[in-house]
Amino acid sequence: MRLTTVNVALMVILMFGAMAIVSAQGPSLSKYDGYGANRIESETGRYWIFFIDKGGADQLLKTSLQRSKLPLSDRSIRRRALRAHRQDVTIHDLPVATRYVRMIEDTGIEVRTVSRLLNAVSVSADMNQLEWLDRQDIVREIKPVLLFKRKLMPPEPEPDTLSFAPTGAWLLDYGASAPQLDQIRVIPLHEEGYTGAGVMIGVFDTGFRTDHEAFNGMDIHATYDFINNDPDVSDNDSGQESHGTSVLGTVGGAAPGYLYGPAYGATFILAKTEDVTQEVQQEEDNFIAALEWADSIGCDIVTSSLGYSDWYTYADMDGNTAPITVACDLAAAAGITVNTSAGNARKTLGYITAPADGDSVIAVGAVTSSGFYADFSSPGPTSDGQIKPDICARGTGVTTVTLLGGYTHNFGGTSAAAPLSAGAIALLLEMHPDWGPMDVRSVLWATGQHLE
């Protein structure tokens, strides 16, 4: 979720009868559950295949060897005990049954991503292969893999508050980043010595230029490119790194006289999940794979400026329909504070995008330098009545780093608001290490300024 918005597009609705989609020659698929009023054929040919169980792996829950058989770090286990208030593992921590995956692969169907949280695999398949999958007893449900489509916000005029920071007023020389931090009350916490130290933040985006001077002192624990399946998140594709670099600078950059992110002392893991070279679309399975990677390492916070809405109607924004939303809620149940942009679709789509509809996800809207709700920021509520977004931060004229090595005062959208929020949350977790995701959200609700 670079944030930014997801517009409803890219789908071909195939309606052959009121209740089913059919291939040209075959019967309707009983387990194929497209989104909205109509079942739809994935334009990309990619689908989620959900299994009925973990193939007997649930017996591990009854043994003392359960943890040794799971890909969870000691830090991940400690986070569960501290913030999810449980030391055990659950069925969602167990791996997908290997024999189920092999059964699918043996037919020639390409398995792209295996998700333990969803107990599912994403595959590339045609309608004949889907009909075969539909007949298998191990398959519970079939859904299309969703697409992300970003909409960058135009540059905003530099706000008058750029002259806000008096020289020598604080211990740190914030430069033009002072107003965006002061608006969310971060500077007083910095003055007390809080920097996000000891807190691990996962940033999911397009890629990152990690050699920028503002990242020289940054503690980067791990990186992974889920598009190319390698650890290099600094691929020099055309514009690929730009958005992620600006997001990372907003949450944790440090350059005296120019910029400080709220959590400049935190530890980071960086996931490249969105490919901007392919018509600015990318599938949600990269995000879910990154989420499980971050969980296994032991991340405390995951922040993303991405959103998914293709295949969806407003009725699907209910916190329980989109696979990416379900995965984020399950991650929150394991003690991860999931922070995401609400979207920039107020004037187009008209509502928030997944996974911001999750009831355990902190959805972040955007305000101006004057504190007014930005006219592009996607509104709530969700279709099941949840108030969204949960909180707001600066989303116009935000100071951060640029791909070319300098600094800008024109970063905008809920893409900018989400990393500011994530950085502030890191300071709260440094102060209160035992706070779980719902504790964080409750405190943010209670202490934020209520705007009309």
Side-chain angles (χ1 to χ4, degrees):
M1 346 195 188
R2 225 153 5 145
L3 215 95
T4 54
T5 316
V6 189
N7 296 324
V8 176
L10 307 176
M11 69 165 115
V12 178
I13 300 179
L14 304 178
M15 296 180 61
F16 295 89
M19 295 300 295
I21 179 172
V22 299
S23 67
Q25 301 175 353
S28 63
L29 299 171
S30 62
K31 297 174 184 175
Y32 184 66
D33 181 18
Y35 302 106
N38 309 304
R39 291 176 178 170
I40 51 181
E41 184 174 359
S42 168
E43 185 171 286
T44 62
R46 294 168 181 169
Y47 300 86
W48 284 111
I49 310 301
F50 295 86
F51 298 119
I52 57 171
D53 57 30
K54 288 287 180 85
D58 54 318
Q59 295 301 311
L60 288 174
L61 294 175
K62 302 176 182 179
T63 74
S64 60
L65 298 177
Q66 56 186 2
R67 291 184 184 175
S68 66
K69 294 180 180 294
L70 299 175
L72 301 176
S73 66
D74 289 342
R75 183 185 175 101
S76 182
I77 295 294
R78 289 196 301 270
R79 188 201 61 235
R80 283 164 164 74
L82 188 63
R83 301 204 175 101
H85 307 296
R86 59 177 174 83
Q87 296 187 20
D88 61 324
V89 295
T90 72
I91 191 70
H92 302 295
D93 298 315
L94 300 177
V96 175
T98 302
R99 62 187 177 90
Y100 292 174
V101 179
R102 287 177 178 169
M103 179 178 173
I104 291 175
E105 290 178 326
D106 287 345
T107 68
I109 297 173
E110 179 189 358
V111 173
R112 290 168 42 83
T113 299
V114 180
S115 171
R116 61 174 172 79
L117 285 176
L118 299 179
N119 192 27
V121 293
S122 69
V123 303
S124 296
D126 58 32
M127 291 305 293
N128 290 330
Q129 291 171 323
L130 285 182
E131 288 175 356
W132 178 85
L133 288 165
D134 185 62
R135 295 191 295 270
Q136 306 310 306
D137 291 339
I138 63 172
V139 176
R140 173 174 60 83
E141 190 175 16
I142 302 172
K143 291 185 175 182
V145 173
L146 303 185
L147 299 177
F148 163 77
K149 192 174 217 181
R150 64 186 172 89
K151 178 183 177 184
L152 294 178
M153 300 308 301
E156 295 285 337
E158 295 185 11
D160 294 338
T161 48
L162 285 179
S163 60
F164 176 86
T167 303
W170 301 297
L171 295 177
L172 298 176
D173 185 358
Y174 294 101
S177 68
Q180 64 207 42
L181 301 183
D182 189 67
Q183 188 178 48
I184 56 174
R185 305 176 187 175
V186 159
I187 292 177
L189 299 183
H190 285 174
E191 294 286 284
E192 294 182 20
Y194 296 105
T195 66
V199 178
M200 183 179 287
I201 304 173
V203 183
F204 298 177
D205 217 286
T206 62
F208 310 87
R209 181 186 165 184
T210 55
D211 63 348
H212 193 289
E213 66 174 6
F215 306 144
N216 285 346
M218 179 175 283
D219 180 10
I220 299 177
H221 177 76
T223 61
Y224 200 79
D225 178 346
F226 287 87
I227 299 168
N228 298 309
N229 295 314
D230 62 52
D232 183 8
V233 294
S234 299
D235 297 339
N236 191 25
D237 298 326
S238 177
Q240 177 71 45
E241 305 167 356
S242 179
H243 189 274
T245 299
S246 293
V247 166
L248 184 60
T250 305
V251 64
Y258 295 98
L259 167 75
Y260 275 94
Y264 66 92
T267 298
F268 291 88
I269 69 168
L270 309 178
K272 179 181 174 183
T273 61
E274 184 199 342
D275 186 352
V276 302
T277 66
Q278 299 180 7
E279 299 179 350
V280 298
Q281 303 159 5
Q282 187 56 42
E283 289 71 32
E284 65 184 343
D285 48 4
N286 287 342
F287 184 105
I288 292 173
L291 186 63
E292 296 185 16
W293 173 72
D295 177 19
S296 67
I297 291 175
C299 258
D300 303 302
I301 301 166
V302 163
T303 187
S304 65
S305 292
L306 305 172
Y308 298 80
S309 70
D310 285 358
W311 316 130
Y312 286 141
T313 66
Y314 175 63
D316 297 316
M317 294 294 104
D318 60 0
N320 296 304
T321 297
I324 193 172
T325 300
V326 174
C328 284
D329 280 345
L330 290 171
I336 300 175
T337 298
V338 181
N339 179 87
T340 190
S341 303
N344 300 331
R346 187 178 188 90
K347 296 179 180 180
T348 53
L349 191 63
Y351 51 84
I352 60 171
T353 57
D357 62 318
D359 58 14
S360 300
V361 173
I362 295 176
V364 188
V367 294
T368 67
S369 61
S370 300
F372 293 105
Y373 198 70
D375 62 3
F376 56 79
S377 188
S378 295
T382 61
S383 63
D384 62 328
Q386 301 173 62
I387 297 174
K388 294 285 182 174
D390 295 279
I391 57 174
C392 293
R394 180 84 159 263
T396 62
V398 171
T399 297
T400 188
V401 303
T402 69
L403 181 62
L404 299 178
Y407 300 88
T408 179
H409 309 308
N410 292 328
F411 190 41
T414 51
S415 282
L420 286 172
S421 166
I425 290 169
L427 303 185
L428 294 179
L429 291 183
E430 182 184 4
M431 297 169 66
H432 302 280
D434 60 334
W435 280 6
M438 296 301 99
D439 300 314
V440 170
R441 189 177 70 172
S442 295
V443 168
L444 292 174
W445 280 359
T447 59
Q449 180 182 358
H450 294 271
L451 301 175
E452 296 296 330

